[in-house]
């Protein structure tokens, strides 16, 4: 399993889909037009979504630091 994972700050997310469009593993999707959702099984924490997010709502963390 990857050591990092993307995390979406729900209140900051503007559901624009920019993160989903750049994810090379298709691990990010926009849930019901309200916020981005990260599939933990697919995410490898590459940071593409974090770099693309215009609202700075996506950050990459060590998986150990994220409670499951």
């Amino acid at each position: 399993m990857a050591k990092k994972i993307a995390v979406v700050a729900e209140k900051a997310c503007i559901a624009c889909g920019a993160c989903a469009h750049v994810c090379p593993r298709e691990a990010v999707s926009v849930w019901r037009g309200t916020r981005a959702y990260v599939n933990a099984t697919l995410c490898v924490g590459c940071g593409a979504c974090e770099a693309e997010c215009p609202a700075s709502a996506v950050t990459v963390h060590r998986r150990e630091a994220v409670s499951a």
Side-chain angles (χ1 to χ4, degrees), residues 20-44:
H21 291 293
V22 298
C23 181
R25 307 242 332 162
E26 298 181 358
V28 185
S29 58
V30 175
W31 186 73
R32 295 186 179 180
T34 60
R35 69 174 183 90
Y37 168 79
V38 178
N39 181 326
T41 305
L42 298 175
C43 180
V44 294

Side-chain angles (χ1 to χ4, degrees), residues 1 4 7 11 14 17 19-20 26-27 30 34 36 38 45 49 51 53 66-67:
M1 183 174 284
K4 295 183 178 184
V7 177
K11 292 182 179 181
I14 59 174
C19 54
E26 298 181 358
V30 175
T34 60
V38 178
C49 55
C53 181
V66 178
S67 59

